[in-house]
Amino acid sequence: MQTSAAETASAIYTDVTRENIQPLFSDIAKQISLAEFVAVDTEFTGLGLSNASPVFRFDTADWLTRATDMRDMYKGMANVAKTHALVSMGLSTFVRTSDGMFHVYSFNFILQEQSTHLVSPASIAFLAQNGFDLGKQALQGIRYFSGPNPHPVESRSEDINLEGDLLRKVLFALVRAKKPLVIHNGLFDLVYIYQSFFGPLPDSHESFVFDLHTLFPAGIYDTKLIAESLDPGTASFLAYLYHKSERIHRQRREQAIEALSIKQTKILVREKSGAESDRNPQPRRRPQNTRGGKTPETRPSKPYCEHFAAFGHCKFRDQCRHSHDLEFILDCQQEEAEAPADQDAAIEAPPVQNGKRKRNDEGSLPPSKILKALGKNMSQLKTESSVLPAENSGSAAAYHTAAYDAYMTGFIFASLRLVHGDAVEEHKNKVFRMGRGVEPLLIQASIYASASTTYRQTIKLIEEMEFPGETAKSEPPAN
């Protein structure tokens, strides 16, 4: 296996397509078997049902994916997953070595569901605006059919049958390995993964939960729920937590405190053409504001977009006058926390041009350091900014690339475990649910539920299969 390595600066991952899934499968299964835990993320063609054509005659009451009652929420989510499709799946394996370092292998599966399915215009627009290559998905996506078990729908094409079979085996390898599964706000991810690779979703959420508890006995961890529980009152969207975690461990290293040590490794593979692939996908960036005219006004109480800082999105998007750069936001928030309450002087922040903050006359220090030296209150700054992060800020990452999202999720989980220790285990098998005051979904076996038919059929297939990673682990050490 050939590899290229880098430290954590940005995500390094391997695109897995119909061209290379066959030669990559053994390495993927092996890394899953060696991992301490595995993080996943998915992208799909719909989060709900809105503005449906009357010809379908949908009863919208059956599609309430944000209902407070779990029975109604599950029914809505199941209906969406059964009628829509996955377009990509990110999977990151965190393999700990004897020196305590994590070697991370991330894979970005480009998927193409072969059954006719619904596509939400909003979801496709979201993917396209965040750099998802729809052309590549159409031409190179791994072709698969969702269920049913015990055998998937077969195509007349042997290539399609092989692609779909290998894709399902990746998920089966994850179940067989019995590793902790890490997600971020991932209830919908779990629903889609089940429907796409294990078989038809159970009729009741009780059976769905029972199946998940049995399929993943090492536990399911939701980093959004863990972060909100252990550090309440701060933003908990994925990119914010990732950059915050990176900052925490930079500071720990500076203070000679135990910190995360991570090495990302990319598997190289020869594609069908015979050429060796070493393409490290460029991180996607949010589009710049190319439209003329005045940008929307927002409250200038802070130099950054407060709504984006809290929730990870902004209705003004590329026209927002305030910064969406997470490193800059974290600089500001750190300065706000440290600034004396009686400071009321303000200073204009460095202007932004072409997505980059210009250097000040004071030198090349970041804005927070300049202001600290001047003794000013960062919270009263006013600035104009484009959405595009600064080139070297570390924020130019692909926040909606499934592989990068999976990597960030795993990084956050590793950070939470190192910083909070056993407190993380108190949130094992608790999955975040949207809504104020809504209790998390508990992934546990209830005495009132039993395994579904899908589970009973699928687990037989999993138990009968052989995986390369298991074979490698069972070999005796060389003399």
Side-chain angles (χ1 to χ4, degrees), residues 18-80:
R18 68 179 67 163
E19 300 292 326
N20 62 13
I21 187 171
Q22 187 171 4
L24 277 173
F25 173 74
S26 294
D27 285 323
I28 296 171
K30 180 179 180 180
Q31 295 311 318
I32 289 173
S33 72
L34 295 174
E36 184 170 303
F37 62 87
V38 178
V40 297
D41 181 82
T42 65
E43 302 290 352
F44 30 80
T45 65
L47 278 165
L49 184 71
S50 60
N51 302 319
S53 170
V55 72
F56 293 119
R57 298 181 181 179
F58 289 129
D59 182 356
T60 55
D62 293 336
W63 298 73
L64 299 176
T65 59
R66 292 196 176 187
T68 55
D69 186 282
M70 188 59 215
R71 290 170 296 184
D72 294 334
M73 175 183 282
Y74 175 75
K75 184 178 182 180
M77 285 185 163
N79 281 337
V80 172

Coordinates of all heavy atoms in Angstrom, one line a residue, residues 18-80:
R18 N -16.7 4.4 -9.1 CA -16.9 3.1 -9.7 C -15.6 2.7 -10.4 O -15.4 1.5 -10.7 CB -18.0 3.2 -10.8 CG -17.7 4.1 -12.0 CD -18.8 4.1 -13.0 NE -20.0 4.8 -12.5 CZ -21.0 5.3 -13.3 NH1 -20.9 5.1 -14.6 NH2 -22.0 5.9 -12.8
E19 N -14.7 3.6 -10.6 CA -13.4 3.3 -11.3 C -12.4 2.6 -10.3 O -11.6 1.8 -10.8 CB -12.8 4.5 -11.8 CG -13.6 5.3 -12.9 CD -13.7 4.5 -14.1 OE1 -12.8 3.8 -14.5 OE2 -14.8 4.6 -14.8
N20 N -12.5 2.8 -9.0 CA -11.5 2.3 -8.1 C -12.0 1.6 -6.9 O -11.2 1.2 -6.0 CB -10.6 3.5 -7.7 CG -11.3 4.6 -6.9 OD1 -12.4 4.4 -6.4 ND2 -10.6 5.7 -6.7
I21 N -13.3 1.4 -6.7 CA -13.8 0.8 -5.5 C -13.3 -0.7 -5.4 O -13.0 -1.1 -4.3 CB -15.3 0.8 -5.4 CG1 -15.7 0.3 -4.0 CG2 -16.0 0.1 -6.6 CD1 -17.2 0.4 -3.8
Q22 N -13.1 -1.4 -6.5 CA -12.7 -2.8 -6.4 C -11.2 -2.9 -5.9 O -11.0 -3.6 -4.9 CB -12.8 -3.4 -7.8 CG -12.5 -4.9 -7.7 CD -12.8 -5.7 -9.0 OE1 -13.2 -5.0 -10.0 NE2 -12.7 -7.0 -9.0
P23 N -10.2 -2.1 -6.4 CA -8.9 -2.2 -5.9 C -8.8 -1.6 -4.5 O -7.9 -2.0 -3.7 CB -8.0 -1.5 -6.9 CG -8.9 -0.6 -7.6 CD -10.2 -1.3 -7.7
L24 N -9.7 -0.7 -4.1 CA -9.6 0.0 -2.8 C -10.3 -0.8 -1.7 O -10.0 -0.6 -0.5 CB -10.2 1.4 -2.9 CG -9.4 2.5 -3.4 CD1 -10.2 3.8 -3.5 CD2 -8.2 2.8 -2.5
F25 N -11.2 -1.7 -2.0 CA -12.0 -2.3 -1.0 C -11.2 -3.0 0.1 O -11.5 -2.9 1.3 CB -13.0 -3.3 -1.7 CG -13.7 -4.1 -0.6 CD1 -14.8 -3.6 0.1 CD2 -13.4 -5.5 -0.4 CE1 -15.5 -4.3 1.0 CE2 -14.1 -6.2 0.6 CZ -15.1 -5.6 1.3
S26 N -10.2 -3.8 -0.3 CA -9.4 -4.5 0.7 C -8.8 -3.6 1.7 O -8.8 -3.8 3.0 CB -8.3 -5.4 0.1 OG -8.9 -6.4 -0.7
D27 N -8.2 -2.4 1.3 CA -7.6 -1.5 2.1 C -8.6 -0.8 3.0 O -8.4 -0.5 4.2 CB -6.8 -0.4 1.3 CG -5.5 -1.0 0.8 OD1 -4.9 -1.7 1.5 OD2 -5.2 -0.6 -0.4
I28 N -9.8 -0.5 2.5 CA -10.8 0.2 3.3 C -11.3 -0.8 4.4 O -11.4 -0.4 5.6 CB -12.0 0.6 2.4 CG1 -11.6 1.6 1.4 CG2 -13.2 1.1 3.3 CD1 -12.7 1.9 0.3
A29 N -11.5 -2.0 4.1 CA -12.0 -3.0 5.1 C -10.9 -3.2 6.1 O -11.2 -3.3 7.3 CB -12.3 -4.3 4.4
K30 N -9.7 -3.2 5.7 CA -8.6 -3.4 6.7 C -8.5 -2.2 7.7 O -8.3 -2.4 8.9 CB -7.2 -3.6 5.9 CG -6.1 -3.8 6.9 CD -4.8 -4.0 6.1 CE -3.6 -4.2 7.0 NZ -2.3 -4.4 6.3
Q31 N -8.6 -1.0 7.2 CA -8.5 0.1 8.0 C -9.7 0.2 9.0 O -9.5 0.6 10.2 CB -8.4 1.4 7.2 CG -7.1 1.6 6.4 CD -5.9 1.3 7.2 OE1 -5.7 1.7 8.3 NE2 -5.0 0.5 6.6
I32 N -10.8 -0.2 8.6 CA -12.0 -0.3 9.5 C -11.7 -1.3 10.6 O -12.0 -1.0 11.8 CB -13.3 -0.7 8.7 CG1 -13.7 0.5 7.8 CG2 -14.4 -1.1 9.6 CD1 -14.9 0.1 6.8
S33 N -11.1 -2.4 10.3 CA -10.9 -3.4 11.3 C -9.8 -3.0 12.3 O -9.8 -3.4 13.4 CB -10.4 -4.8 10.6 OG -9.1 -4.7 10.1
L34 N -8.9 -2.1 11.8 CA -7.8 -1.7 12.7 C -8.2 -0.4 13.5 O -7.5 -0.1 14.5 CB -6.6 -1.4 11.9 CG -5.9 -2.5 11.2 CD1 -4.8 -2.0 10.3 CD2 -5.4 -3.5 12.2
A35 N -9.3 0.2 13.2 CA -9.6 1.5 13.8 C -10.0 1.4 15.2 O -10.6 0.4 15.7 CB -10.7 2.2 13.0
E36 N -9.7 2.5 16.0 CA -10.2 2.6 17.3 C -11.7 3.0 17.3 O -12.5 2.6 18.1 CB -9.4 3.6 18.1 CG -9.8 3.7 19.6 CD -8.8 4.6 20.4 OE1 -7.6 4.2 20.4 OE2 -9.2 5.6 21.0
F37 N -12.0 3.9 16.3 CA -13.4 4.3 16.0 C -13.5 4.8 14.6 O -12.5 5.1 14.0 CB -13.9 5.4 17.0 CG -13.2 6.7 16.9 CD1 -13.5 7.7 16.1 CD2 -12.1 6.9 17.8 CE1 -12.8 8.9 16.0 CE2 -11.4 8.1 17.8 CZ -11.8 9.1 16.8
V38 N -14.7 4.8 14.1 CA -15.0 5.2 12.7 C -16.0 6.3 12.7 O -17.1 6.2 13.4 CB -15.5 4.0 11.9 CG1 -15.8 4.5 10.4 CG2 -14.5 2.9 11.9
A39 N -15.8 7.4 11.9 CA -16.7 8.5 11.8 C -17.3 8.5 10.4 O -16.6 8.2 9.4 CB -16.0 9.8 12.1
V40 N -18.6 8.8 10.3 CA -19.3 8.8 9.0 C -20.1 10.1 8.9 O -20.5 10.7 9.8 CB -20.2 7.6 8.8 CG1 -19.4 6.3 8.8 CG2 -21.3 7.5 9.9
D41 N -20.3 10.4 7.6 CA -21.2 11.5 7.2 C -21.8 11.2 5.9 O -21.1 10.6 5.1 CB -20.5 12.9 7.2 CG -21.4 14.0 6.9 OD1 -22.1 14.5 7.8 OD2 -21.4 14.5 5.7
T42 N -22.9 11.7 5.6 CA -23.5 11.5 4.3 C -24.1 12.8 3.7 O -24.4 13.7 4.4 CB -24.7 10.4 4.3 OG1 -25.8 10.9 5.1 CG2 -24.2 9.1 4.9
E43 N -24.3 12.8 2.4 CA -25.1 13.8 1.7 C -26.2 13.1 0.9 O -25.9 12.0 0.3 CB -24.1 14.6 0.7 CG -22.9 15.3 1.4 CD -23.3 16.4 2.2 OE1 -24.5 16.9 2.2 OE2 -22.4 16.9 2.9
F44 N -27.3 13.8 0.8 CA -28.5 13.1 0.2 C -29.3 14.1 -0.5 O -29.1 15.3 -0.5 CB -29.3 12.3 1.2 CG -29.3 12.9 2.6 CD1 -30.1 14.0 3.0 CD2 -28.4 12.3 3.6 CE1 -30.0 14.5 4.2 CE2 -28.4 12.9 4.9 CZ -29.2 13.9 5.2
T45 N -30.3 13.6 -1.3 CA -31.1 14.4 -2.2 C -32.3 15.1 -1.5 O -33.1 15.8 -2.2 CB -31.6 13.6 -3.4 OG1 -32.5 12.6 -3.0 CG2 -30.4 13.0 -4.1
G46 N -32.5 14.9 -0.2 CA -33.6 15.6 0.4 C -33.7 15.4 1.9 O -33.3 14.3 2.4
L47 N -34.1 16.4 2.6 CA -34.3 16.4 4.0 C -35.7 16.4 4.4 O -36.0 16.2 5.6 CB -33.7 17.7 4.7 CG -32.2 17.7 4.9 CD1 -31.7 19.1 5.2 CD2 -31.8 16.8 6.1
G48 N -36.6 16.5 3.5 CA -38.0 16.5 3.8 C -38.8 16.7 2.5 O -38.3 16.5 1.4
L49 N -40.1 17.0 2.6 CA -40.9 17.1 1.5 C -41.5 18.5 1.5 O -42.2 18.9 2.4 CB -42.0 16.1 1.5 CG -42.9 16.0 0.3 CD1 -42.2 15.5 -1.0 CD2 -44.2 15.2 0.5
S50 N -41.3 19.3 0.5 CA -41.8 20.6 0.4 C -42.1 20.9 -1.1 O -41.4 20.5 -2.0 CB -40.9 21.7 0.9 OG -39.7 21.7 0.2
N51 N -43.2 21.6 -1.3 CA -43.6 22.0 -2.7 C -43.7 20.8 -3.6 O -43.3 20.9 -4.8 CB -42.7 23.0 -3.3 CG -42.6 24.3 -2.4 OD1 -43.6 24.8 -1.9 ND2 -41.4 24.8 -2.2
A52 N -44.2 19.7 -3.1 CA -44.3 18.5 -4.0 C -45.4 18.7 -5.0 O -46.4 19.3 -4.8 CB -44.7 17.3 -3.1
S53 N -45.2 18.1 -6.2 CA -46.2 18.2 -7.2 C -47.5 17.5 -6.8 O -47.5 16.4 -6.1 CB -45.7 17.4 -8.5 OG -46.7 17.3 -9.4
P54 N -48.6 18.1 -7.1 CA -49.9 17.5 -6.6 C -50.2 16.1 -7.2 O -50.9 15.4 -6.7 CB -50.9 18.5 -7.2 CG -50.2 19.8 -7.4 CD -48.8 19.4 -7.7
V55 N -49.5 15.8 -8.3 CA -49.7 14.5 -8.9 C -49.3 13.4 -8.0 O -49.8 12.3 -8.1 CB -48.9 14.4 -10.3 CG1 -47.4 14.3 -10.0 CG2 -49.4 13.2 -11.1
F56 N -48.4 13.6 -7.0 CA -48.0 12.6 -6.1 C -49.0 12.3 -5.0 O -49.0 11.3 -4.4 CB -46.6 12.9 -5.5 CG -45.5 12.9 -6.5 CD1 -44.7 14.1 -6.7 CD2 -45.1 11.8 -7.1 CE1 -43.7 14.1 -7.6 CE2 -44.1 11.8 -8.0 CZ -43.4 12.9 -8.3
R57 N -49.8 13.3 -4.7 CA -50.8 13.2 -3.7 C -50.3 12.8 -2.4 O -50.8 11.9 -1.7 CB -51.9 12.2 -4.2 CG -52.6 12.7 -5.4 CD -53.7 11.7 -5.8 NE -54.4 12.2 -7.1 CZ -55.4 11.5 -7.7 NH1 -55.8 10.4 -7.1 NH2 -55.9 12.0 -8.8
F58 N -49.2 13.4 -2.0 CA -48.6 13.1 -0.7 C -49.4 13.7 0.4 O -49.9 14.8 0.3 CB -47.2 13.7 -0.6 CG -46.1 13.0 -1.5 CD1 -45.3 13.7 -2.3 CD2 -46.0 11.6 -1.4 CE1 -44.4 13.0 -3.1 CE2 -45.1 11.0 -2.2 CZ -44.3 11.7 -3.0
D59 N -49.5 13.0 1.5 CA -50.1 13.5 2.7 C -48.9 14.1 3.6 O -48.1 13.4 4.1 CB -50.8 12.4 3.5 CG -51.4 13.0 4.8 OD1 -51.3 14.2 5.1 OD2 -52.1 12.2 5.5
T60 N -48.8 15.4 3.6 CA -47.6 16.1 4.2 C -47.5 15.7 5.7 O -46.5 15.9 6.3 CB -47.7 17.6 4.0 OG1 -48.9 18.1 4.5 CG2 -47.5 17.9 2.6
A61 N -48.6 15.3 6.3 CA -48.6 14.9 7.7 C -47.7 13.7 8.0 O -47.2 13.5 9.1 CB -50.0 14.6 8.2
D62 N -47.4 13.0 6.9 CA -46.6 11.8 7.0 C -45.1 12.1 6.8 O -44.3 11.2 6.7 CB -47.0 10.7 6.0 CG -48.4 10.1 6.4 OD1 -48.8 10.2 7.6 OD2 -49.1 9.6 5.5
W63 N -44.8 13.4 6.6 CA -43.4 13.7 6.2 C -42.8 14.8 7.2 O -42.0 15.5 6.9 CB -43.4 14.3 4.8 CG -43.8 13.3 3.8 CD1 -45.1 12.9 3.6 CD2 -43.0 12.6 2.9 NE1 -45.2 12.0 2.6 CE2 -43.9 11.8 2.1 CE3 -41.7 12.6 2.6 CZ2 -43.4 11.0 1.1 CZ3 -41.2 11.8 1.6 CH2 -42.1 11.0 0.8
L64 N -43.3 14.7 8.5 CA -42.8 15.7 9.4 C -41.5 15.3 10.1 O -41.5 14.6 11.1 CB -43.9 15.9 10.5 CG -45.2 16.5 10.0 CD1 -46.2 16.5 11.1 CD2 -45.1 17.8 9.3
T65 N -40.4 15.6 9.4 CA -39.1 15.1 9.9 C -38.6 15.9 11.1 O -37.6 15.5 11.7 CB -38.0 15.3 8.8 OG1 -37.9 16.6 8.4 CG2 -38.4 14.4 7.6
R66 N -39.3 16.9 11.6 CA -38.9 17.7 12.8 C -40.1 17.6 13.8 O -40.2 18.5 14.6 CB -38.5 19.1 12.4 CG -37.3 19.2 11.6 CD -36.7 20.6 11.7 NE -35.4 20.7 11.0 CZ -34.6 21.7 11.0 NH1 -35.0 22.8 11.6 NH2 -33.5 21.7 10.4
A67 N -40.9 16.6 13.7 CA -41.9 16.5 14.7 C -41.3 16.2 16.1 O -40.3 15.6 16.2 CB -42.9 15.3 14.3
T68 N -42.0 16.7 17.1 CA -41.5 16.5 18.5 C -41.7 15.0 19.0 O -40.9 14.5 19.7 CB -42.1 17.5 19.5 OG1 -43.6 17.3 19.4 CG2 -41.7 18.9 19.1
D69 N -42.8 14.4 18.5 CA -43.0 13.0 18.9 C -42.1 12.1 18.0 O -42.1 12.2 16.8 CB -44.5 12.7 18.6 CG -44.8 11.3 19.1 OD1 -44.5 10.3 18.4 OD2 -45.4 11.2 20.2
M70 N -41.4 11.3 18.6 CA -40.4 10.4 17.9 C -41.1 9.5 16.9 O -40.5 9.2 15.8 CB -39.6 9.6 18.9 CG -38.4 8.9 18.3 SD -37.2 10.0 17.4 CE -36.8 9.0 16.0
R71 N -42.3 9.1 17.2 CA -43.0 8.2 16.2 C -43.3 8.9 14.9 O -43.1 8.4 13.8 CB -44.3 7.7 16.9 CG -44.1 6.6 18.0 CD -45.3 6.4 18.7 NE -45.8 7.5 19.4 CZ -46.9 7.6 20.2 NH1 -47.6 6.5 20.4 NH2 -47.3 8.7 20.8
D72 N -43.7 10.2 15.1 CA -44.0 11.0 13.9 C -42.7 11.4 13.2 O -42.6 11.4 11.9 CB -44.8 12.2 14.3 CG -46.2 11.9 14.8 OD1 -46.7 10.9 14.4 OD2 -46.7 12.7 15.6
M73 N -41.7 11.7 13.9 CA -40.4 12.1 13.3 C -39.8 10.9 12.5 O -39.4 11.1 11.4 CB -39.4 12.5 14.4 CG -38.0 12.8 13.8 SD -36.8 13.3 15.1 CE -37.3 15.0 15.4
Y74 N -39.8 9.7 13.1 CA -39.3 8.6 12.4 C -40.1 8.2 11.2 O -39.5 7.9 10.1 CB -39.2 7.4 13.4 CG -38.8 6.1 12.7 CD1 -37.4 5.9 12.4 CD2 -39.7 5.1 12.3 CE1 -37.0 4.7 11.7 CE2 -39.3 4.0 11.6 CZ -38.0 3.8 11.3 OH -37.6 2.7 10.7
K75 N -41.4 8.3 11.3 CA -42.2 8.1 10.1 C -41.9 9.0 9.0 O -41.7 8.6 7.8 CB -43.7 8.2 10.5 CG -44.7 7.9 9.4 CD -46.1 8.0 9.8 CE -47.1 7.6 8.7 NZ -48.5 7.7 9.2
G76 N -41.7 10.3 9.3 CA -41.3 11.3 8.3 C -40.0 11.0 7.7 O -39.8 11.0 6.5
M77 N -39.0 10.7 8.6 CA -37.6 10.5 8.1 C -37.6 9.2 7.2 O -36.9 9.2 6.2 CB -36.7 10.3 9.3 CG -36.3 11.6 10.0 SD -35.1 11.3 11.3 CE -34.5 13.0 11.5
A78 N -38.3 8.2 7.6 CA -38.3 6.9 6.9 C -38.9 7.2 5.5 O -38.4 6.7 4.5 CB -39.1 5.9 7.6
N79 N -40.0 8.0 5.4 CA -40.6 8.3 4.1 C -39.6 9.0 3.2 O -39.5 8.7 2.0 CB -41.9 9.1 4.3 CG -43.0 8.2 4.7 OD1 -43.1 7.0 4.5 ND2 -44.0 8.9 5.4
V80 N -38.9 9.9 3.8 CA -37.9 10.7 3.0 C -36.8 9.8 2.5 O -36.4 9.8 1.3 CB -37.3 11.8 3.8 CG1 -36.1 12.5 3.1 CG2 -38.3 12.9 4.1

